[in-house]
Amino acid sequence: MEGLAVPVAQSQLLPFPKFAFAAIPTANSNAVAGFVSLRRHRGRGFRFRTSLSLPEQVTVTEKDHSNPNCVSGDSIRHRFLSFYASRGHKVLPSASLVPDDPTVLLTIAGMLQFKPIFLGKVPRQVRCAATAQRCIRTNDIHNVGLTARHQTFFEMLGNFSFGDYFKKQAILWAWELSTAEFGLPPDRLWVSVYEDDDEAFQLWSDEVGVPVEHIKRLGEEDNFWTSGVTGPCGPCSEIYYDFHPERGCVDADLSDDTRFIEFYNLVFMQYNKKDDSSLEPLKQKNIDTGLGLERMARILQKVPNNYETDLIFPIIEKASKLANVSYGIADDQTKRNLKIIGDHMRAIVFLISDGVVPSNVGRGYVVRRLIRRVVRTGRLLGIKGDGRGDLEGAFLPIIAEKVVALSTHIDADVKNKAPRIFEELKREELRFVQTLERGEKLLEEKLADALSSAERNGTVPCLAGEDVFLLYDTYGYPMEITKEVAEERGVSIDMDGFDIEMEKQRRQSQAAHNTVKLTIENRENIAENVPDTEFIGYDCLHCKAMIESLMVNGDPAVQASEGTNVELLLNKTPFYAESGGQIGDHGFLYISEGENQPKAVVEIIDVQKSLGNIFVHKGTVQKGVVEVGKVVEAAVDVKLRQRAKVHHTATHLLQAALKKVIGQETSQAGSLVAFDRLRFDFNFHRPLHDSELAEIEMLINGWIEDATLLQTKVMPLADAKSAGAIAMFGEKYGEEVRVIEVPGVSMELCGGTHVSNTSEIRGFKIISEQGIASGIRRIEAVAGEAFIEYINARDFYLKQLCSTLKVKPEEVTTRIENLLEELRVARNENSAVRAKAAIYKASVIESKALVVGKYRVLVECLDDVDAESLKSAAEYLLETLTDPAAVVLGSCPGEGKVSLVAAFTPGVVDQGIQAGKFIGQIAKLCGGGGGGRPNFAQAGGRKPENLASALAKARSELIATLCEKGN
């Protein structure tokens, strides 16, 4: 079918009075009865392309446009993109919901990916484009399910012009799309324009033919778009659909949601707003439009709200089945809950697909809040477990399956990521259910108390701020959900009281629970309320201990549930706390339920010291609930501890080797003992030679081979120093100190963990040696298991290299040297060829030299000749042209590059014209600079678009100067 198919039967279509259309016989005209094809009448109107071509970036499945009932959401998206593709628009894919723009958290509009173009920060790649953009907005989350149109996730269909067509074309196409393509009755459409935009009013009225009573002028708040305090801006115009035309035109209010819905917004970027708020016309006027896919689907599918379109309703049906309810006969509250699930699940699935992981900050908090709202809503509907009989299961992955199934034409990649999405949803839901069950019970009690108290006293029911805080602090129950549940029951919450409690929490510890804030501000509280932690980790890697205190999100708490990041204080611990350059241990805390079945598990990922010897264990509750006062089994990760021990002892050996090789005067300036490597900073004035590094490695590996037993002693600090022990950098020591000695090799004051025998280190290898500051060098090395991994990796790479080069390992160096030599020769030959080509070009343009008195002037562009070849061309011309002569050549050897050269004979230089100064000024015109000798100079630039004018400037200045000198 050629052209745009328009149903002839739709006599209610408003005609385009200013355009003449002709029916065109086509090869396929007999295939579709009742349709005609439209094309532009000569001199006026539009040409509708007779073939549809969509770019490779977006795959659009062919639909049967001849079927007037083909109004699925997918077909609407397809028809929109096809409509604009056939009118010269490049159809581009949707951008991620995670934008590149640091000023916004999520992608909230279709134009966001083009914002840099609209603001003039990057050049346009296409003249006009069309997209179906995935968007997220949560500012109206409480209206989801309550109104007919509010959603958190939606698709914005948009057509954009970057300095191509403008207001008239945008308006005419928008009307044509709405009435001809989608068949909307013109008498059902209303239009708004900015109050001062007479041009738009005239276009709608005179060009399109919209009755003036259907055009509303609105103020700046509704119909004027700005990008900021200053910058591009312009008036807007919207198209509304009227659900109740029988109400007439008198006092019609476009903001009346019961009657109108805005479905197409056109933004005309035509001004630049200056600092004084005045408006000046933009040189490049742009178009930014947005058509809400769900809104158009609602109109065309004739359903009462966006949620009942085929874009969302299948998800609602899935939730209804799990809840064992019928949407059709459900009450309003049940319908609203189902709508919330249908909407939020789309947002959740696409956010996780785009890489957003549930967390307590930023984008992660957005998706976590949506997940928790769906979980709670599902429980209100009666969904238990996974809704399929497994009461311990999760229902979010079940509903997400439907979202994924509907995602094919939105983002085909979602299906590939489905397993990860389902797993993330399951984990997050099961974590929250535990919190929800405890919090729901307490919240219900508090709400009942508030209602009964209000009834007795004749007051408005209000939930005390202290109770809201208790739910938040102790049970991890989100304040937003507490507020939402309370409002459903007709109870307000005391936010001022909640804020006061939050502030109290920040300022003081809760003595009743013996919890403290583990921050600098609470040093006095810690010192008074919590004794030092007993460290037993030198001799034992697991023990039973009691949780003395607990913090969640930096605030004291009594308990914490699964998924919560926590900080714990134990009365004793086998975990080493970061100090002396050695990082803290990793491991687990287990609360047993009986018969070795852990009731709760906390994964420890860091341990820090606070105020001396108070050990702060940082981690995440992986299972169950942890509480202050509970006994835990503390277990250090044995393998990681061994890695740390190996690297710490190797660090001592490294310092000893450095003192032997480069001198006893060298001293430690810092260190890091990690699981995967060690780092040692030391004072030295120069880089170490390869031979020195080799000697250091040989010494250390020799000591490892000696299998020497380490000796650990605790003695008075004075005695240790007298014995020659070296103090570790940055450590503070008490009267009694711990001394680690490798007999005959090293003796250091150290509180870290170490191997028992040097043979445990297995091997040592320096990875790098470099300067990090004036007089400070740094060595990074690996030992033990990390050493084995490093060697194996290098062996693998060497084997690959040998296979590629088809040589033995001992022949690799020679082979590479030969290849480099071949490459050097080839490059030289290539340069010679380019130089000859440039000289040939120079010989061609030699005849173009201008005669200015006794001087010969040649200023030309040699296209894409590289800088070195340009130099050869100039030298050739200087030799060829008789003295006095001046040569200036330019070229564009690459994108964003300009090369310039000036060559003057002695006769020109004698006149006081210097090549270096002259070409430097010309190069500035091309965004660069340069210089050189008086007779020969080169320069470069970054603006190839200015090269022609720069060379013209050079020619005119040379001629003018030489004319003046000649006279």
Side-chain angles (χ1 to χ4, degrees):
M1 179 173 61
E2 295 185 1
L4 178 68
V6 181
V8 176
Q10 294 221 341
S11 59
Q12 74 270 34
L13 288 184
L14 186 67
F16 298 84
K18 295 295 181 180
F19 299 89
F21 296 97
I24 308 169
T26 70
N28 298 327
S29 60
N30 59 347
V32 184
F35 284 74
V36 293
S37 194
L38 306 181
R39 74 176 181 187
R40 186 176 184 177
H41 190 274
R42 185 178 299 275
R44 294 183 68 91
F46 303 98
R47 173 178 176 80
F48 301 132
R49 296 185 180 178
T50 58
S51 62
L52 176 61
S53 175
L54 293 179
E56 294 180 359
Q57 291 94 325
V58 176
T59 301
V60 183
T61 305
E62 288 295 325
K63 301 288 183 180
D64 181 9
H65 289 183
S66 65
N67 180 4
N69 296 318
C70 186
V71 289
S72 70
D74 287 340
S75 75
I76 294 170
R77 184 190 307 107
H78 170 86
R79 291 164 68 179
F80 178 93
L81 296 176
S82 299
F83 179 90
Y84 282 103
S86 68
R87 286 151 182 80
H89 289 64
K90 188 79 166 179
V91 179
L92 299 176
S94 170
S96 169
L97 289 172
V98 180
D100 293 330
D101 189 338
T103 65
V104 290
L105 197 64
L106 295 165
T107 298
I108 59 174
M111 61 80 66
L112 196 61
Q113 66 172 304
F114 305 117
K115 182 179 173 183
I117 301 175
F118 288 138
L119 296 179
K121 295 181 179 179
V122 299
R124 67 183 184 185
Q125 301 300 314
V126 295
R127 299 181 68 86
C128 46
T131 64
Q133 175 64 50
R134 306 187 301 277
C135 300
I136 291 280
R137 292 182 191 173
T138 58
N139 54 316
D140 289 322
I141 189 172
H142 295 295
N143 285 324
V144 172
L146 194 61
T147 70
R149 60 181 176 82
H150 282 97
Q151 301 160 242
T152 57
F153 176 88
F154 58 96
E155 284 187 79
M156 188 63 74
L157 309 179
N159 55 288
F160 307 88
S161 169
F162 314 112
D164 189 23
Y165 62 88
F166 194 53
K167 191 176 297 185
K168 178 178 179 179
Q169 190 74 89
I171 286 174
L172 293 172
W173 274 341
W175 187 261
E176 181 190 351
L177 176 76
S178 303
T179 59
E181 177 65 22
F182 290 131
L184 299 183
D187 59 1
R188 289 282 190 110
L189 303 184
W190 291 60
V191 172
S192 70
V193 297
Y194 178 55
E195 57 189 355
D196 295 333
D197 193 357
D198 294 329
E199 180 187 7
F201 191 102
Q202 180 271 328
L203 287 169
W204 285 115
S205 175
D206 297 343
E207 295 288 339
V208 175
V210 177
V212 293
E213 58 267 27
H214 274 216
I215 305 175
K216 293 284 187 179
R217 291 181 182 266
L218 299 179
E220 185 172 343
E221 182 177 353
D222 296 305
N223 278 62
F224 197 90
W225 178 85
T226 60
S227 60
V229 178
T230 61
C233 59
C236 307
S237 184
E238 290 116 356
I239 306 178
Y240 292 76
Y241 185 83
D242 186 358
F243 291 104
H244 297 283
E246 72 276 6
R247 297 182 186 176
C249 299
V250 179
D251 297 327
D253 182 5
L254 295 180
S255 64
D256 181 1
D257 283 349
T258 66
R259 178 176 178 181
F260 297 101
I261 185 170
E262 173 205 338
F263 66 88
Y264 209 167
N265 181 26
L266 315 177
V267 178
F268 312 123
M269 292 186 207
Q270 62 188 91
Y271 300 114
N272 177 50
K273 191 174 185 180
K274 301 199 295 187
D275 291 334
D276 60 358
S277 295
S278 63
L279 302 177
E280 64 179 4
L282 285 173
K283 293 182 180 179
Q284 177 178 298
K285 296 181 172 67
N286 303 310
I287 290 293
D288 159 30
T289 79
L291 183 148
L293 174 60
E294 292 81 2
R295 298 186 181 195
M296 180 58 81
R298 172 192 171 189
I299 296 168
L300 295 179
Q301 294 174 15
K302 297 180 174 61
V303 291
N305 53 67
N306 294 2
Y307 310 101
E308 295 185 34
T309 65
D310 69 336
L311 295 165
I312 305 175
F313 196 68
I315 307 168
I316 292 176
E317 287 184 310
K318 188 76 170 181
S320 300
K321 185 177 180 180
L322 293 178
N324 197 27
V325 298
S326 173
Y327 180 86
I329 60 175
D331 57 51
D332 289 342
Q333 185 57 51
T334 298
K335 285 185 175 180
R336 186 192 177 194
N337 288 336
L338 289 168
K339 292 172 183 175
I340 288 172
I341 293 177
D343 168 77
H344 286 13
M345 284 303 299
R346 295 211 304 165
I348 291 164
V349 167
F350 284 96
L351 279 168
I352 296 176
S353 176
D354 279 351
V356 181
V357 178
S359 69
N360 290 327
V361 294
R363 302 179 183 101
Y365 181 72
V366 172
V367 72
R368 172 163 285 173
R369 183 185 179 193
L370 291 169
I371 288 173
R372 292 185 168 186
R373 200 161 187 253
V374 172
V375 173
R376 179 186 166 269
T377 303
R379 290 170 66 85
L380 289 175
L381 287 169
I383 301 177
K384 301 296 184 182
D386 65 356
R388 294 176 172 177
D390 182 3
L391 299 180
E392 301 298 322
F395 73 89
L396 294 189
I398 309 301
I399 299 178
E401 290 174 0
K402 179 58 67 176
V403 181
V404 172
L406 294 171
S407 69
T408 302
H409 300 295
I410 305 173
D411 180 7
D413 201 38
V414 173
K415 286 189 176 181
N416 299 328
K417 301 174 182 176
R420 178 176 62 83
I421 295 170
F422 298 154
E423 187 60 32
E424 191 69 54
L425 288 174
K426 179 181 178 181
R427 181 167 52 249
E428 188 70 13
E429 179 181 348
L430 295 181
R431 284 176 181 172
F432 181 58
V433 164
Q434 294 181 340
T435 299
L436 198 59
E437 289 174 345
R438 295 190 305 273
E440 279 178 338
K441 183 177 179 180
L442 180 61
L443 177 57
E444 185 59 36
E445 293 174 359
K446 297 297 183 181
L447 289 174
D449 291 344
L451 288 166
S452 60
S453 175
E455 186 177 356
R456 288 194 308 269
N457 302 322
T459 58
V460 176
C462 180
L463 192 63
E466 296 95 322
D467 293 333
V468 179
F469 176 77
L470 178 65
L471 286 161
Y472 167 80
D473 178 56
T474 305
Y475 295 92
Y477 204 76
M479 184 273 294
E480 295 90 352
I481 291 183
T482 299
K483 182 179 180 182
E484 187 174 334
V485 175
E487 289 176 349
E488 290 173 358
R489 296 285 298 277
V491 179
S492 62
I493 66 172
D494 176 17
M495 283 304 301
D496 291 338
F498 175 78
D499 291 338
I500 290 172
E501 292 300 318
M502 287 290 288
E503 185 61 28
K504 283 182 182 178
Q505 184 199 55
R506 295 187 184 96
R507 292 182 178 179
Q508 63 185 15
S509 63
Q510 296 180 356
H513 302 301
N514 195 31
T515 56
V516 296
K517 285 192 173 185
L518 310 182
T519 59
I520 299 300
E521 290 77 14
N522 283 318
R523 285 182 177 179
E524 294 181 1
N525 288 336
I526 295 175
E528 293 175 0
N529 298 332
V530 180
D532 287 349
T533 306
E534 179 187 355
F535 176 62
I536 63 170
Y538 291 134
D539 306 311
C540 183
L541 296 184
H542 60 85
C543 73
K544 289 189 180 297
M546 180 178 291
I547 299 177
E548 298 279 359
S549 295
L550 171 67
M551 285 216 315
V552 176
N553 296 327
D555 299 314
V558 176
Q559 62 178 208
S561 60
E562 184 174 336
T564 306
N565 295 327
V566 295
E567 295 176 273
L568 306 101
L569 304 186
L570 306 178
N571 62 334
K572 62 179 178 179
T573 183
F575 286 83
Y576 182 85
E578 180 174 330
S579 60
Q582 180 177 332
I583 65 173
D585 277 331
H586 291 193
F588 293 88
L589 303 181
Y590 301 96
I591 299 178
S592 298
E593 193 170 33
E595 298 183 1
N596 297 322
Q597 294 297 318
K599 180 181 179 182
V601 178
V602 182
E603 181 181 11
I604 301 301
I605 59 172
D606 190 22
V607 184
Q608 296 286 329
K609 282 186 181 180
S610 179
L611 291 178
N613 287 313
I614 297 175
F615 285 40
V616 182
H617 303 73
K618 301 182 178 183
T620 303
V621 181
Q622 298 290 352
K623 178 182 178 181
V625 178
V626 295
E627 298 179 27
V628 172
K630 288 289 186 180
V631 174
V632 300
E633 182 76 20
V636 173
D637 187 313
V638 177
K639 291 185 177 180
L640 292 182
R641 166 65 80 86
Q642 181 64 17
R643 282 172 170 257
K645 289 164 61 176
V646 163
H647 280 138
H648 206 150
T649 304
T651 301
H652 286 208
L653 298 182
L654 174 58
Q655 179 162 228
L658 281 166
K659 287 181 176 292
K660 278 186 173 291
V661 174
I662 63 175
Q664 291 293 323
E665 67 277 8
T666 188
S667 61
Q668 180 181 343
S671 69
L672 170 68
V673 176
F675 303 133
D676 61 340
R677 71 191 190 285
L678 67 87
R679 187 179 71 213
F680 190 82
D681 301 339
F682 57 100
N683 298 296
F684 201 57
H685 60 281
R686 62 167 174 81
L688 271 65
H689 303 308
D690 290 344
S691 59
E692 292 171 329
L693 293 173
E695 186 178 355
I696 290 169
E697 287 183 346
M698 183 185 68
L699 279 171
I700 295 174
N701 285 310
W703 292 330
I704 293 171
E705 185 179 3
D706 290 341
T708 303
L709 287 170
L710 274 71
Q711 297 180 5
T712 302
K713 302 175 183 178
V714 177
M715 63 180 70
L717 177 60
D719 291 349
K721 288 183 176 180
S722 298
I726 299 172
M728 291 290 290
F729 178 83
E731 276 286 353
K732 296 180 180 179
Y733 301 96
E735 293 181 0
E736 294 281 324
V737 294
R738 186 167 179 261
V739 178
I740 303 297
E741 181 180 7
V742 181
V745 177
S746 165
M747 180 188 292
E748 295 190 21
L749 307 182
C750 182
T753 62
H754 290 269
V755 299
S756 300
N757 190 300
T758 58
S759 62
E760 294 178 39
I761 300 175
R762 302 169 70 184
F764 176 91
K765 181 65 181 177
I766 293 174
I767 297 174
S768 66
E769 191 275 337
Q770 60 183 333
I772 60 170
S774 178
I776 304 294
R777 308 297 299 176
R778 170 174 290 173
I779 284 179
E780 288 198 0
V782 288
E785 192 66 21
F787 164 81
I788 301 299
E789 292 169 352
Y790 179 86
I791 295 300
N792 286 340
R794 274 18 185 208
D795 181 63
F796 173 76
Y797 299 142
L798 180 59
K799 287 178 179 177
Q800 282 192 320
L801 190 59
C802 290
S803 176
T804 301
L805 298 177
K806 297 183 176 8
V807 295
K808 298 176 181 179
E810 61 269 22
E811 298 170 346
V812 168
T813 302
T814 302
R815 179 60 177 143
I816 291 177
E817 288 175 349
N818 291 338
L819 288 173
L820 290 174
E821 176 61 21
E822 291 172 11
L823 180 61
R824 185 189 65 79
V825 171
R827 284 176 174 172
N828 289 341
E829 291 175 351
N830 190 31
S831 295
V833 170
R834 289 199 302 266
K836 289 180 179 179
I839 291 172
Y840 173 75
K841 290 182 179 181
S843 66
V844 173
I845 65 171
E846 179 185 349
S847 61
K848 294 184 179 181
L850 301 176
V851 178
V852 181
K854 63 179 181 177
Y855 303 98
R856 303 189 71 184
V857 176
L858 180 61
V859 180
E860 290 293 333
C861 178
L862 291 187
D863 301 325
D864 58 353
V865 171
D866 63 274
E868 193 62 29
S869 299
L870 198 69
K871 175 184 175 183
S872 299
E875 290 172 342
Y876 166 82
L877 289 168
L878 205 62
E879 293 174 359
T880 304
L881 298 174
T882 57
D883 187 26
V887 175
V888 175
L889 301 177
S891 68
C892 299
E895 186 176 351
K897 292 182 180 180
V898 172
S899 290
L900 292 163
V901 62
F904 298 163
T905 62
V908 174
V909 176
D910 290 344
Q911 299 300 316
I913 306 174
Q914 297 189 5
K917 293 181 179 179
F918 181 83
I919 203 64
Q921 294 299 316
I922 299 303
K924 288 181 179 179
L925 301 176
C926 295
R933 303 188 307 273
N935 68 317
F936 199 95
Q938 290 180 278
R942 301 181 302 276
K943 297 180 179 180
E945 64 272 17
N946 293 349
L947 178 59
S949 59
L951 291 176
K953 177 76 171 175
R955 184 182 294 107
S956 61
E957 287 196 2
L958 274 177
I959 292 174
T961 303
L962 292 173
C963 283
E964 181 180 347
K965 297 293 184 180
N967 296 330

